[in-house]
Amino acid sequence: MASIRAFGRAAAVVVLLTGTASCGAPQEDNSTTAGRLSGTLTVFAAASLTDTFTQIAEEFEARHPDASVQLSFAGSSDLVTQITAGAPADVFASADTSNMDKLIEAGLVLGAPVDFATNTLMIAVPAGNPAGVTSLEDLVDPANKVVICAPQVPCGTATVKVEQAAGVDISAVSEESSVTDVLGKVTSGEADAGLVYVTDVSAASDAVEGIAFDESAEAVNTYPLAPVVDGNTDLAEAFIELVTGEGGQTILAAAGFGPPSP
Amino acid sequence: MSGGSAYSAVPRWIYLVAGAGALFILIPLAAVVLRVNWGQFIPLITSESSQSALLLSLQTSAASTALCVLFGVPMALVLARSSFPGQRILRALVLLPLVLPPVVGGIALLYTFGRQGLLGGSLDVIGVDIAFSTAAVIIAQTFVALPFLVLSLEGAIRSAGNRYEAVASMLGARPTTVLRRVTLPLVLPGLVSGAVLSFARALGEFGATLTFAGSLEGVTRTLPLEIYLQRETDPDAAVALSLVLVVVAVLVVGVAHRVQDGRRIP
């Protein structure tokens, strides 16, 4: 049924191209009756939050049986583009402050964003550490195949900060456009080492080993979230409360996220 | 346009639906053109990273097209001219990269040529390291582009028939001479348009390259990867480079059509 509807929708887009018709999602009834929250909450969250926000959403639905949460995960900048283009989001959780700022500039954030987590970089090596990498200095050696994020994306910005703080110049064989691609190159054993977030190392469990280094403190990535203008505000506030409260923080800490900086 | 016949069997409403379909393709292309920041267009596409990405794309696409011709011509000949058990299954499998999501192709290549891959160990022994090299880009492009050449050349060989080949053979020409002097000249238009299509597919390759080869300026970051990366911080640059790729693709498709129309076999 769903696929037939999707096909019809796509066909309608083709036929009505020249018109201004837009096929938005059906609007849910956002009624709130005496403290009982109901309706559908749509959360747009950074890809690095996939596991944790899926758990938090389950917790949210357990606490509010009449409400359901729809999650959409992608790179933060993709999500900003989608929301700016009119995608129906109630909450936006970004992997960095600069993408949240972009959405604020677009006038689409309700109130002030709340920081709810931090993430730092870690060296990831394939299981068994075949190249014997032990420190940030080892990533300078061109004999080691090192993969990092390109400076254009948040994890790459953090990488540059770390390099400056440590006074090293990493010789990378590839500068990927997402941290997932860096991790993929390490888990598959193509690369000897990569710089990823602490949470990526915990998520990859046995496939990679993590090596911490002091300079990671120089590039702390802060995760803010905020309700989106014209969204379901009551549900959005309740969800943000859960993320920043004990329930959400426990789940985030278990995945390796740091607490928000005071 | 109707090829001399006065009777047009196409009902009028068909034109309407066909028009909507055509707009579906054309409007997004127009949207790219409209979004281009023309004041900055030249600086954006001539920046160092853009130029090295374009150059790398053209070089790797040319190299992979050469590989496609090298392997694709024999493959097309075998598929079109001989028959053996399992031929139909083999054809279907060989054409698989046409319909496979490129990222799946990338994963398959990774587990074949990667350091931990099926052939990676043997390659390592002879001192060949493909990981994160330009060679990896060419392999990825060849993998996705090869079926285009095989498909269009096989069609050309079949529709050319084998009358002339039979005559040449009867006159005493050896098989290799027949191939060189009769078959290949006959199907040359099909070969050229197949090669052009392969080039175009190689130029647009993204998913397999991203998964398999990585992304480093001047080494593995082709134009599509550069566009994907620029989109993060500089949408104007991404749009400008997209237009460059659209223009190159239009030129390539135009050349392919010219070759096919101008030298059609009677």
Side-chain angles (χ1 to χ4, degrees):
Chain A
M1 280 302 281
S3 64
I4 293 170
R5 220 177 301 142
F7 173 80
R9 213 179 269 182
V13 168
V14 174
V15 174
L16 298 175
L17 254 178
T18 44
T20 51
S22 78
C23 300
Q27 283 297 303
E28 290 287 336
D29 182 22
N30 302 338
S31 56
T32 315
T33 47
R36 261 182 94 79
L37 293 165
S38 64
T40 301
L41 176 76
T42 307
V43 177
F44 276 35
S48 48
L49 297 167
T50 305
D51 291 341
T52 48
F53 267 45
T54 306
Q55 288 178 51
I56 293 176
E58 280 164 12
E59 174 74 30
F60 187 81
E61 286 171 349
R63 291 189 188 187
H64 307 281
D66 294 336
S68 68
V69 181
Q70 281 224 324
L71 296 163
S72 177
F73 297 108
S76 300
S77 67
D78 282 338
L79 294 173
V80 171
T81 311
Q82 289 171 16
I83 297 171
T84 314
D90 300 312
V91 172
F92 172 54
S94 172
D96 62 357
T97 46
S98 68
N99 277 300
M100 182 59 85
D101 290 344
K102 273 196 246 169
L103 200 63
I104 294 173
E105 266 172 50
L108 291 170
V109 170
L110 200 65
V114 188
D115 297 341
F116 67 94
T118 53
N119 213 347
T120 49
L121 291 180
M122 198 175 204
I123 300 170
V125 296
N129 194 2
V133 172
T134 54
S135 68
L136 205 55
E137 279 69 37
D138 289 335
L139 306 190
V140 183
D141 185 353
N144 292 329
K145 289 193 184 299
V146 180
V147 178
I148 56 177
C149 284
Q152 285 90 336
V153 293
C155 58
T157 318
T159 303
V160 172
K161 276 189 208 162
V162 162
E163 283 183 270
Q164 284 167 352
V168 297
D169 188 11
I170 296 172
S171 64
V173 290
S174 184
E175 295 176 357
E176 306 283 338
S177 47
S178 82
V179 71
T180 334
D181 287 328
V182 174
L183 192 69
K185 300 287 190 296
V186 177
T187 48
S188 65
E190 281 300 282
D192 294 320
L195 275 183
V196 299
Y197 290 117
V198 173
T199 51
D200 297 313
V201 174
S202 357
S205 58
D206 290 346
V208 301
E209 293 170 19
I211 300 163
F213 55 95
D214 295 340
E215 290 83 357
S216 64
E218 298 298 323
V220 178
N221 224 37
T222 301
Y223 284 60
L225 88 170
V228 177
V229 166
D230 290 336
N232 186 333
T233 315
D234 293 330
L235 278 177
E237 295 292 355
F239 186 80
I240 292 169
E241 209 169 283
L242 176 61
V243 172
T244 51
E246 205 192 327
Q249 290 297 308
T250 313
I251 292 170
L252 286 161
F257 283 101
S261 29
Chain B
M1 290 296 268
S2 55
S5 161
Y7 172 67
S8 168
V10 181
R12 212 168 273 175
W13 61 269
I14 288 280
Y15 285 99
L16 220 69
V17 183
L23 284 178
F24 177 60
I25 307 275
L26 295 176
I27 290 181
L29 292 179
V32 170
V33 176
L34 289 175
R35 278 300 303 269
V36 170
N37 179 350
W38 292 105
Q40 287 294 309
F41 184 69
I42 298 298
L44 284 175
I45 64 163
T46 53
S47 75
E48 201 185 320
S49 60
S50 304
Q51 289 216 312
S52 91
L54 179 62
L55 188 67
L56 182 71
S57 267
L58 294 174
Q59 286 169 337
T60 52
S61 301
S64 54
T65 306
L67 284 176
C68 285
V69 171
L70 182 67
F71 294 109
V73 172
M75 283 166 74
L77 279 166
V78 168
L79 287 175
R81 281 287 186 261
S82 64
S83 69
F84 51 87
Q87 190 180 12
R88 293 178 68 168
I89 296 169
L90 184 70
R91 176 191 291 117
L93 288 177
V94 162
L95 299 183
L96 208 57
L98 273 182
V99 290
L100 218 55
V103 59
V104 176
I107 290 173
L109 290 171
L110 190 62
Y111 290 119
T112 309
F113 297 104
R115 286 164 110 189
Q116 318 283 325
L118 216 51
L119 305 177
S122 332
L123 290 169
D124 205 29
V125 169
I126 57 168
V128 178
D129 193 358
I130 289 173
F132 306 110
S133 68
T134 307
V137 178
I138 296 171
I139 289 174
Q141 290 175 344
T142 308
F143 183 77
V144 296
L146 189 54
F148 282 84
L149 190 122
V150 175
L151 199 66
S152 54
L153 187 59
E154 191 201 346
I157 295 172
R158 281 182 187 278
S159 59
N162 62 358
R163 300 169 284 162
Y164 298 111
E165 292 164 21
V167 171
S169 167
M170 245 184 313
L171 293 174
R174 303 170 73 86
T176 305
T177 313
V178 175
L179 174 67
R180 194 166 51 84
R181 302 288 296 271
V182 181
T183 314
L184 287 183
L186 262 180
V187 299
L188 192 63
L191 176 59
V192 171
S193 74
V196 169
L197 277 177
S198 300
F199 183 83
R201 180 66 190 87
L203 201 62
E205 206 326 284
F206 171 72
T209 310
L210 189 73
T211 319
F212 174 55
S215 171
L216 190 69
E217 186 178 325
V219 182
T220 49
R221 189 174 295 153
T222 55
L223 201 48
L225 270 72
E226 174 73 14
I227 292 172
Y228 186 62
L229 185 61
Q230 288 295 347
R231 195 188 49 113
E232 292 279 343
T233 47
D234 192 351
D236 278 352
V239 171
L241 289 172
S242 300
L243 185 64
V244 171
L245 211 50
V246 168
V247 169
V248 174
V250 167
L251 288 177
V252 163
V253 172
V255 166
H257 269 275
R258 251 190 118 87
V259 169
Q260 273 196 324
D261 290 348
R263 304 192 52 180
R264 202 178 288 282
I265 305 148

